[in-house]
Amino acid sequence: MKLKVLIDEEVCLGYGDCAEQAPGAFEVDDTARYLGGPQNLTKHDAARTCPAEAITLIDAETGEPVAP
């Protein structure tokens, strides 16, 4: 399954947990940005660890939310 990563910049608090879980895939300044890259499991880990629940994973084919 191919996943699309959405980050709600209004909700993101910039803690950086996503960048710790998926180094190179996420970058955090004031808010998180998805840079691309890791396998789906790492994306799931990053979405689950976001304390603000600002990361949503979407099934690219169906448009249905997969995580958090």
Side-chain angles (χ1 to χ4, degrees):
M1 169 188 329
K2 187 171 181 173
L3 296 176
K4 181 176 178 181
V5 177
L6 300 177
I7 299 173
D8 186 337
E9 293 181 6
E10 303 261 332
V11 175
C12 178
L13 301 172
Y15 286 118
D17 294 13
C18 57
E20 288 180 24
Q21 285 295 318
F26 292 88
E27 180 177 86
V28 179
D29 290 321
D30 292 333
T31 60
R33 283 188 308 285
Y34 177 64
L35 305 174
Q39 308 217 357
N40 287 348
L41 181 58
T42 307
K43 292 176 192 175
H44 280 279
D45 290 342
R48 278 194 295 270
T49 61
C50 178
E53 296 184 359
I55 301 171
T56 303
L57 303 180
I58 305 291
D59 183 319
E61 293 180 16
T62 67
E64 294 294 316
V66 176

Short mmCIF file of all heavy atoms in Angstrom, two decimals:
data_model
loop_
_atom_site.label_atom_id
_atom_site.label_comp_id
_atom_site.label_asym_id
_atom_site.label_seq_id
_atom_site.Cartn_x
_atom_site.Cartn_y
_atom_site.Cartn_z
N MET A 1 0.85 -1.17 0.00
CA MET A 1 0.00 0.00 0.00
C MET A 1 0.90 1.24 0.00
O MET A 1 1.79 1.37 0.82
CB MET A 1 -0.90 -0.01 1.24
CG MET A 1 -1.63 1.27 1.46
SD MET A 1 -2.56 1.42 3.03
CE MET A 1 -3.08 -0.19 3.42
N LYS A 2 0.64 2.15 -0.91
CA LYS A 2 1.37 3.41 -0.96
C LYS A 2 0.64 4.42 -0.09
O LYS A 2 -0.57 4.56 -0.17
CB LYS A 2 1.47 3.90 -2.39
CG LYS A 2 2.36 5.10 -2.54
CD LYS A 2 2.62 5.43 -3.97
CE LYS A 2 3.54 6.63 -4.02
NZ LYS A 2 3.98 6.93 -5.37
N LEU A 3 1.40 5.11 0.76
CA LEU A 3 0.81 6.05 1.70
C LEU A 3 1.19 7.48 1.36
O LEU A 3 2.31 7.77 0.96
CB LEU A 3 1.30 5.75 3.12
CG LEU A 3 0.90 4.40 3.70
CD1 LEU A 3 1.54 4.21 5.05
CD2 LEU A 3 -0.61 4.27 3.78
N LYS A 4 0.24 8.36 1.56
CA LYS A 4 0.47 9.80 1.44
C LYS A 4 0.52 10.35 2.86
O LYS A 4 -0.28 9.98 3.71
CB LYS A 4 -0.69 10.42 0.65
CG LYS A 4 -0.54 11.90 0.45
CD LYS A 4 -1.68 12.42 -0.42
CE LYS A 4 -1.56 13.92 -0.58
NZ LYS A 4 -2.65 14.46 -1.37
N VAL A 5 1.48 11.24 3.13
CA VAL A 5 1.65 11.83 4.45
C VAL A 5 1.10 13.25 4.44
O VAL A 5 1.50 14.07 3.62
CB VAL A 5 3.14 11.85 4.85
CG1 VAL A 5 3.33 12.53 6.20
CG2 VAL A 5 3.72 10.44 4.87
N LEU A 6 0.18 13.51 5.36
CA LEU A 6 -0.37 14.85 5.53
C LEU A 6 0.01 15.36 6.92
O LEU A 6 -0.14 14.65 7.91
CB LEU A 6 -1.88 14.85 5.39
CG LEU A 6 -2.46 14.36 4.08
CD1 LEU A 6 -3.98 14.34 4.15
CD2 LEU A 6 -2.00 15.25 2.94
N ILE A 7 0.48 16.59 6.98
CA ILE A 7 0.82 17.21 8.26
C ILE A 7 -0.03 18.46 8.41
O ILE A 7 0.01 19.35 7.56
CB ILE A 7 2.31 17.58 8.33
CG1 ILE A 7 3.17 16.32 8.18
CG2 ILE A 7 2.62 18.29 9.65
CD1 ILE A 7 4.64 16.57 8.07
N ASP A 8 -0.80 18.50 9.48
CA ASP A 8 -1.62 19.66 9.78
C ASP A 8 -0.74 20.69 10.49
O ASP A 8 -0.45 20.56 11.69
CB ASP A 8 -2.81 19.26 10.65
CG ASP A 8 -3.79 20.39 10.87
OD1 ASP A 8 -3.39 21.58 10.74
OD2 ASP A 8 -4.96 20.10 11.17
N GLU A 9 -0.29 21.69 9.76
CA GLU A 9 0.62 22.69 10.32
C GLU A 9 -0.03 23.53 11.41
O GLU A 9 0.66 24.09 12.26
CB GLU A 9 1.17 23.58 9.21
CG GLU A 9 2.07 22.82 8.26
CD GLU A 9 2.65 23.68 7.16
OE1 GLU A 9 2.45 24.91 7.18
OE2 GLU A 9 3.31 23.12 6.27
N GLU A 10 -1.35 23.62 11.41
CA GLU A 10 -2.06 24.36 12.46
C GLU A 10 -2.03 23.61 13.79
O GLU A 10 -2.10 24.22 14.85
CB GLU A 10 -3.52 24.58 12.03
CG GLU A 10 -3.67 25.29 10.72
CD GLU A 10 -3.95 26.77 10.90
OE1 GLU A 10 -4.54 27.13 11.92
OE2 GLU A 10 -3.57 27.52 9.99
N VAL A 11 -1.90 22.28 13.72
CA VAL A 11 -1.93 21.44 14.91
C VAL A 11 -0.52 21.10 15.39
O VAL A 11 -0.29 20.94 16.58
CB VAL A 11 -2.73 20.14 14.62
CG1 VAL A 11 -2.67 19.17 15.78
CG2 VAL A 11 -4.17 20.48 14.27
N CYS A 12 0.43 21.02 14.46
CA CYS A 12 1.81 20.63 14.79
C CYS A 12 2.41 21.60 15.81
O CYS A 12 2.34 22.81 15.65
CB CYS A 12 2.67 20.61 13.52
SG CYS A 12 4.40 20.19 13.84
N LEU A 13 3.01 21.03 16.85
CA LEU A 13 3.64 21.82 17.90
C LEU A 13 5.16 21.85 17.77
O LEU A 13 5.83 22.47 18.59
CB LEU A 13 3.22 21.29 19.27
CG LEU A 13 1.72 21.31 19.54
CD1 LEU A 13 1.40 20.59 20.84
CD2 LEU A 13 1.20 22.73 19.57
N GLY A 14 5.70 21.17 16.78
CA GLY A 14 7.13 21.19 16.52
C GLY A 14 7.99 20.45 17.52
O GLY A 14 9.16 20.78 17.69
N TYR A 15 7.46 19.42 18.17
CA TYR A 15 8.24 18.67 19.15
C TYR A 15 9.39 17.88 18.51
O TYR A 15 10.40 17.64 19.14
CB TYR A 15 7.35 17.70 19.93
CG TYR A 15 6.47 18.37 20.94
CD1 TYR A 15 5.09 18.30 20.85
CD2 TYR A 15 7.01 19.07 22.01
CE1 TYR A 15 4.28 18.92 21.78
CE2 TYR A 15 6.21 19.69 22.95
CZ TYR A 15 4.84 19.60 22.83
OH TYR A 15 4.04 20.20 23.75
N GLY A 16 9.20 17.42 17.29
CA GLY A 16 10.26 16.69 16.60
C GLY A 16 10.27 15.20 16.79
O GLY A 16 11.20 14.52 16.38
N ASP A 17 9.24 14.65 17.43
CA ASP A 17 9.19 13.20 17.63
C ASP A 17 9.19 12.46 16.30
O ASP A 17 9.78 11.38 16.19
CB ASP A 17 7.95 12.81 18.45
CG ASP A 17 8.00 13.34 19.87
OD1 ASP A 17 8.85 14.20 20.17
OD2 ASP A 17 7.18 12.89 20.69
N CYS A 18 8.54 13.01 15.30
CA CYS A 18 8.49 12.38 13.98
C CYS A 18 9.89 12.28 13.37
O CYS A 18 10.27 11.25 12.80
CB CYS A 18 7.54 13.10 13.04
SG CYS A 18 7.94 14.86 12.80
N ALA A 19 10.68 13.33 13.53
CA ALA A 19 12.05 13.34 12.99
C ALA A 19 12.94 12.34 13.74
O ALA A 19 13.85 11.77 13.15
CB ALA A 19 12.63 14.74 13.07
N GLU A 20 12.66 12.14 15.01
CA GLU A 20 13.42 11.13 15.77
C GLU A 20 13.05 9.72 15.31
O GLU A 20 13.91 8.86 15.23
CB GLU A 20 13.15 11.28 17.27
CG GLU A 20 13.80 12.49 17.88
CD GLU A 20 13.52 12.62 19.36
OE1 GLU A 20 13.22 11.60 20.02
OE2 GLU A 20 13.59 13.75 19.86
N GLN A 21 11.77 9.48 15.04
CA GLN A 21 11.31 8.16 14.61
C GLN A 21 11.71 7.85 13.17
O GLN A 21 11.95 6.69 12.84
CB GLN A 21 9.79 8.04 14.74
CG GLN A 21 9.30 7.89 16.13
CD GLN A 21 9.75 6.59 16.74
OE1 GLN A 21 9.74 5.54 16.11
NE2 GLN A 21 10.16 6.64 17.99
N ALA A 22 11.74 8.87 12.32
CA ALA A 22 12.03 8.67 10.91
C ALA A 22 13.05 9.72 10.45
O ALA A 22 12.72 10.63 9.70
CB ALA A 22 10.75 8.75 10.10
N PRO A 23 14.29 9.59 10.91
CA PRO A 23 15.30 10.58 10.53
C PRO A 23 15.48 10.61 9.01
O PRO A 23 15.51 9.58 8.37
CB PRO A 23 16.57 10.10 11.24
CG PRO A 23 16.28 8.80 11.84
CD PRO A 23 14.82 8.53 11.73
N GLY A 24 15.58 11.79 8.47
CA GLY A 24 15.72 11.94 7.03
C GLY A 24 14.41 12.03 6.30
O GLY A 24 14.34 12.49 5.17
N ALA A 25 13.33 11.58 6.93
CA ALA A 25 12.01 11.62 6.30
C ALA A 25 11.22 12.83 6.75
O ALA A 25 10.40 13.35 6.01
CB ALA A 25 11.23 10.36 6.60
N PHE A 26 11.46 13.27 7.99
CA PHE A 26 10.78 14.44 8.53
C PHE A 26 11.83 15.44 8.99
O PHE A 26 12.90 15.06 9.46
CB PHE A 26 9.89 14.07 9.72
CG PHE A 26 8.70 13.24 9.35
CD1 PHE A 26 8.79 11.86 9.31
CD2 PHE A 26 7.49 13.84 9.04
CE1 PHE A 26 7.70 11.08 8.96
CE2 PHE A 26 6.40 13.08 8.70
CZ PHE A 26 6.50 11.69 8.66
N GLU A 27 11.49 16.71 8.86
CA GLU A 27 12.34 17.79 9.33
C GLU A 27 11.44 18.74 10.13
O GLU A 27 10.31 18.98 9.73
CB GLU A 27 12.95 18.50 8.13
CG GLU A 27 13.86 19.64 8.46
CD GLU A 27 14.47 20.23 7.21
OE1 GLU A 27 13.83 21.09 6.60
OE2 GLU A 27 15.58 19.79 6.86
N VAL A 28 11.95 19.25 11.23
CA VAL A 28 11.13 20.12 12.07
C VAL A 28 11.87 21.42 12.35
O VAL A 28 13.00 21.41 12.83
CB VAL A 28 10.78 19.43 13.41
CG1 VAL A 28 9.95 20.35 14.29
CG2 VAL A 28 10.06 18.12 13.16
N ASP A 29 11.23 22.51 12.00
CA ASP A 29 11.67 23.84 12.42
C ASP A 29 10.57 24.34 13.35
O ASP A 29 10.45 23.85 14.45
CB ASP A 29 11.86 24.76 11.22
CG ASP A 29 13.06 24.37 10.37
OD1 ASP A 29 14.09 23.98 10.94
OD2 ASP A 29 12.95 24.44 9.14
N ASP A 30 9.73 25.24 12.88
CA ASP A 30 8.56 25.64 13.65
C ASP A 30 7.49 24.55 13.59
O ASP A 30 6.77 24.33 14.55
CB ASP A 30 7.98 26.96 13.14
CG ASP A 30 8.91 28.12 13.41
OD1 ASP A 30 9.70 28.05 14.38
OD2 ASP A 30 8.85 29.10 12.65
N THR A 31 7.37 23.92 12.42
CA THR A 31 6.44 22.80 12.23
C THR A 31 7.16 21.71 11.45
O THR A 31 8.22 21.92 10.87
CB THR A 31 5.18 23.22 11.45
OG1 THR A 31 5.57 23.71 10.17
CG2 THR A 31 4.39 24.27 12.19
N ALA A 32 6.57 20.53 11.43
CA ALA A 32 7.15 19.39 10.73
C ALA A 32 6.89 19.49 9.24
O ALA A 32 5.87 20.02 8.79
CB ALA A 32 6.57 18.10 11.27
N ARG A 33 7.84 18.94 8.47
CA ARG A 33 7.69 18.80 7.03
C ARG A 33 8.11 17.38 6.67
O ARG A 33 9.12 16.88 7.18
CB ARG A 33 8.59 19.78 6.29
CG ARG A 33 8.08 21.20 6.27
CD ARG A 33 8.91 22.09 5.37
NE ARG A 33 10.34 22.04 5.63
CZ ARG A 33 10.96 22.62 6.66
NH1 ARG A 33 10.26 23.29 7.56
NH2 ARG A 33 12.26 22.54 6.81
N TYR A 34 7.35 16.76 5.78
CA TYR A 34 7.70 15.44 5.29
C TYR A 34 8.61 15.59 4.08
O TYR A 34 8.26 16.26 3.11
CB TYR A 34 6.43 14.66 4.92
CG TYR A 34 6.71 13.30 4.35
CD1 TYR A 34 7.33 12.33 5.13
CD2 TYR A 34 6.36 12.99 3.05
CE1 TYR A 34 7.60 11.08 4.61
CE2 TYR A 34 6.62 11.73 2.53
CZ TYR A 34 7.24 10.80 3.32
OH TYR A 34 7.51 9.55 2.79
N LEU A 35 9.78 14.99 4.14
CA LEU A 35 10.75 15.10 3.07
C LEU A 35 10.70 13.92 2.11
O LEU A 35 11.27 13.97 1.04
CB LEU A 35 12.17 15.19 3.67
CG LEU A 35 12.39 16.32 4.68
CD1 LEU A 35 13.77 16.21 5.29
CD2 LEU A 35 12.18 17.66 4.01
N GLY A 36 10.02 12.86 2.52
CA GLY A 36 9.93 11.66 1.69
C GLY A 36 10.75 10.54 2.28
O GLY A 36 11.50 10.73 3.22
N GLY A 37 10.54 9.39 1.74
CA GLY A 37 11.46 8.33 2.07
C GLY A 37 11.02 7.06 2.73
O GLY A 37 10.83 6.11 2.02
N PRO A 38 10.86 7.01 4.04
CA PRO A 38 10.97 5.73 4.72
C PRO A 38 9.85 4.76 4.37
O PRO A 38 8.87 5.12 3.77
CB PRO A 38 10.90 6.08 6.19
CG PRO A 38 9.96 7.21 6.22
CD PRO A 38 10.32 8.01 4.97
N GLN A 39 10.08 3.55 4.79
CA GLN A 39 9.08 2.51 4.60
C GLN A 39 7.83 2.83 5.41
O GLN A 39 7.87 3.62 6.34
CB GLN A 39 9.68 1.18 5.04
CG GLN A 39 11.00 0.93 4.37
CD GLN A 39 11.22 -0.50 4.02
OE1 GLN A 39 10.40 -1.34 4.32
NE2 GLN A 39 12.31 -0.78 3.38
N ASN A 40 6.74 2.18 5.07
CA ASN A 40 5.46 2.45 5.72
C ASN A 40 5.50 2.28 7.22
O ASN A 40 4.89 3.04 7.95
CB ASN A 40 4.36 1.57 5.12
CG ASN A 40 3.96 2.02 3.73
OD1 ASN A 40 4.33 3.09 3.28
ND2 ASN A 40 3.23 1.19 3.04
N LEU A 41 6.23 1.28 7.71
CA LEU A 41 6.29 1.04 9.15
C LEU A 41 6.86 2.26 9.87
O LEU A 41 6.35 2.68 10.91
CB LEU A 41 7.13 -0.20 9.46
CG LEU A 41 7.25 -0.59 10.93
CD1 LEU A 41 5.88 -0.83 11.53
CD2 LEU A 41 8.12 -1.81 11.08
N THR A 42 7.90 2.86 9.31
CA THR A 42 8.50 4.04 9.92
C THR A 42 7.53 5.22 9.89
O THR A 42 7.45 5.99 10.84
CB THR A 42 9.81 4.41 9.20
OG1 THR A 42 10.65 3.25 9.17
CG2 THR A 42 10.54 5.52 9.90
N LYS A 43 6.78 5.36 8.82
CA LYS A 43 5.77 6.42 8.73
C LYS A 43 4.72 6.22 9.81
O LYS A 43 4.29 7.17 10.45
CB LYS A 43 5.11 6.43 7.36
CG LYS A 43 6.01 6.85 6.23
CD LYS A 43 5.26 6.73 4.92
CE LYS A 43 6.18 6.87 3.74
NZ LYS A 43 5.50 6.64 2.48
N HIS A 44 4.30 4.97 10.01
CA HIS A 44 3.32 4.67 11.05
C HIS A 44 3.86 5.04 12.42
O HIS A 44 3.16 5.62 13.24
CB HIS A 44 2.92 3.19 11.02
CG HIS A 44 1.92 2.85 9.98
ND1 HIS A 44 0.57 3.06 10.14
CD2 HIS A 44 2.08 2.33 8.75
CE1 HIS A 44 -0.07 2.66 9.06
NE2 HIS A 44 0.83 2.23 8.19
N ASP A 45 5.12 4.68 12.68
CA ASP A 45 5.74 5.01 13.96
C ASP A 45 5.76 6.52 14.18
O ASP A 45 5.45 7.01 15.26
CB ASP A 45 7.17 4.47 14.04
CG ASP A 45 7.22 2.95 14.12
OD1 ASP A 45 6.19 2.34 14.48
OD2 ASP A 45 8.29 2.39 13.84
N ALA A 46 6.13 7.27 13.14
CA ALA A 46 6.18 8.73 13.25
C ALA A 46 4.80 9.30 13.53
O ALA A 46 4.64 10.19 14.37
CB ALA A 46 6.77 9.33 11.99
N ALA A 47 3.77 8.80 12.84
CA ALA A 47 2.41 9.29 13.04
C ALA A 47 1.92 8.97 14.46
O ALA A 47 1.29 9.80 15.11
CB ALA A 47 1.46 8.69 12.01
N ARG A 48 2.22 7.76 14.94
CA ARG A 48 1.78 7.36 16.28
C ARG A 48 2.48 8.15 17.39
O ARG A 48 1.89 8.37 18.44
CB ARG A 48 2.03 5.86 16.49
CG ARG A 48 0.96 4.99 15.91
CD ARG A 48 1.09 3.56 16.43
NE ARG A 48 2.33 2.94 15.98
CZ ARG A 48 2.46 2.24 14.87
NH1 ARG A 48 1.44 2.07 14.08
NH2 ARG A 48 3.61 1.70 14.54
N THR A 49 3.72 8.55 17.17
CA THR A 49 4.45 9.23 18.25
C THR A 49 4.19 10.73 18.29
O THR A 49 4.62 11.38 19.24
CB THR A 49 5.97 8.99 18.13
OG1 THR A 49 6.44 9.52 16.90
CG2 THR A 49 6.31 7.54 18.26
N CYS A 50 3.51 11.27 17.31
CA CYS A 50 3.24 12.71 17.30
C CYS A 50 2.30 13.05 18.46
O CYS A 50 1.14 12.63 18.47
CB CYS A 50 2.61 13.13 15.98
SG CYS A 50 2.20 14.88 15.93
N PRO A 51 2.78 13.84 19.44
CA PRO A 51 1.92 14.14 20.59
C PRO A 51 0.71 15.00 20.23
O PRO A 51 -0.30 14.95 20.93
CB PRO A 51 2.85 14.88 21.56
CG PRO A 51 4.02 15.31 20.77
CD PRO A 51 4.10 14.43 19.57
N ALA A 52 0.80 15.74 19.15
CA ALA A 52 -0.32 16.60 18.73
C ALA A 52 -1.24 15.91 17.73
O ALA A 52 -2.26 16.47 17.35
CB ALA A 52 0.23 17.89 18.12
N GLU A 53 -0.88 14.68 17.31
CA GLU A 53 -1.63 13.95 16.29
C GLU A 53 -1.79 14.79 15.02
O GLU A 53 -2.85 14.82 14.40
CB GLU A 53 -2.97 13.47 16.83
CG GLU A 53 -2.82 12.47 17.96
CD GLU A 53 -4.13 11.91 18.46
OE1 GLU A 53 -5.21 12.30 17.95
OE2 GLU A 53 -4.08 11.07 19.36
N ALA A 54 -0.71 15.45 14.63
CA ALA A 54 -0.73 16.33 13.46
C ALA A 54 -0.44 15.59 12.16
O ALA A 54 -0.63 16.13 11.08
CB ALA A 54 0.28 17.46 13.63
N ILE A 55 0.04 14.33 12.25
CA ILE A 55 0.40 13.56 11.07
C ILE A 55 -0.71 12.55 10.77
O ILE A 55 -1.10 11.77 11.63
CB ILE A 55 1.72 12.81 11.27
CG1 ILE A 55 2.84 13.79 11.57
CG2 ILE A 55 2.05 11.96 10.04
CD1 ILE A 55 4.13 13.14 11.99
N THR A 56 -1.19 12.58 9.54
CA THR A 56 -2.19 11.62 9.08
C THR A 56 -1.62 10.89 7.88
O THR A 56 -1.05 11.50 6.99
CB THR A 56 -3.50 12.32 8.67
OG1 THR A 56 -3.97 13.09 9.78
CG2 THR A 56 -4.56 11.32 8.26
N LEU A 57 -1.77 9.59 7.87
CA LEU A 57 -1.38 8.77 6.73
C LEU A 57 -2.63 8.40 5.96
O LEU A 57 -3.63 7.97 6.54
CB LEU A 57 -0.65 7.51 7.18
CG LEU A 57 0.60 7.73 8.03
CD1 LEU A 57 1.22 6.39 8.40
CD2 LEU A 57 1.61 8.60 7.31
N ILE A 58 -2.58 8.59 4.64
CA ILE A 58 -3.72 8.34 3.77
C ILE A 58 -3.33 7.28 2.75
O ILE A 58 -2.23 7.35 2.17
CB ILE A 58 -4.11 9.64 3.01
CG1 ILE A 58 -4.36 10.79 3.96
CG2 ILE A 58 -5.28 9.41 2.06
CD1 ILE A 58 -5.60 10.67 4.80
N ASP A 59 -4.20 6.31 2.51
CA ASP A 59 -3.99 5.34 1.44
C ASP A 59 -4.06 6.11 0.13
O ASP A 59 -5.08 6.71 -0.20
CB ASP A 59 -5.06 4.26 1.50
CG ASP A 59 -4.88 3.17 0.46
OD1 ASP A 59 -4.52 3.49 -0.69
OD2 ASP A 59 -5.12 2.00 0.79
N ALA A 60 -2.97 6.12 -0.63
CA ALA A 60 -2.88 6.91 -1.85
C ALA A 60 -3.89 6.46 -2.91
O ALA A 60 -4.32 7.27 -3.74
CB ALA A 60 -1.47 6.86 -2.42
N GLU A 61 -4.29 5.20 -2.89
CA GLU A 61 -5.23 4.70 -3.89
C GLU A 61 -6.69 5.00 -3.55
O GLU A 61 -7.47 5.35 -4.41
CB GLU A 61 -5.04 3.20 -4.07
CG GLU A 61 -3.71 2.84 -4.71
CD GLU A 61 -3.54 1.35 -4.87
OE1 GLU A 61 -4.53 0.59 -4.79
OE2 GLU A 61 -2.38 0.94 -5.06
N THR A 62 -7.04 4.86 -2.28
CA THR A 62 -8.44 5.01 -1.89
C THR A 62 -8.76 6.37 -1.27
O THR A 62 -9.92 6.75 -1.20
CB THR A 62 -8.84 3.93 -0.87
OG1 THR A 62 -8.13 4.15 0.36
CG2 THR A 62 -8.58 2.53 -1.39
N GLY A 63 -7.73 7.05 -0.76
CA GLY A 63 -7.96 8.32 -0.07
C GLY A 63 -8.43 8.14 1.36
O GLY A 63 -8.72 9.12 2.04
N GLU A 64 -8.48 6.90 1.83
CA GLU A 64 -8.94 6.63 3.19
C GLU A 64 -7.81 6.83 4.20
O GLU A 64 -6.67 6.44 3.95
CB GLU A 64 -9.44 5.18 3.29
CG GLU A 64 -10.68 4.89 2.48
CD GLU A 64 -11.89 5.64 2.99
OE1 GLU A 64 -12.10 5.70 4.22
OE2 GLU A 64 -12.61 6.19 2.15
N PRO A 65 -8.11 7.41 5.36
CA PRO A 65 -7.10 7.55 6.42
C PRO A 65 -6.66 6.18 6.93
O PRO A 65 -7.48 5.28 7.09
CB PRO A 65 -7.81 8.33 7.52
CG PRO A 65 -9.07 8.83 6.94
CD PRO A 65 -9.38 8.01 5.73
N VAL A 66 -5.37 6.04 7.19
CA VAL A 66 -4.80 4.79 7.69
C VAL A 66 -4.30 4.96 9.13
O VAL A 66 -4.42 4.08 9.94
CB VAL A 66 -3.65 4.33 6.78
CG1 VAL A 66 -2.97 3.09 7.32
CG2 VAL A 66 -4.14 4.11 5.36
N ALA A 67 -3.72 6.13 9.43
CA ALA A 67 -3.18 6.40 10.77
C ALA A 67 -3.23 7.89 11.00
O ALA A 67 -3.21 8.65 10.05
CB ALA A 67 -1.75 5.88 10.88
N PRO A 68 -3.28 8.38 12.22
CA PRO A 68 -2.99 7.64 13.43
C PRO A 68 -4.13 6.78 13.85
O PRO A 68 -5.26 6.91 13.70
CB PRO A 68 -2.69 8.71 14.45
CG PRO A 68 -3.40 9.93 14.00
CD PRO A 68 -3.49 9.78 12.52
#
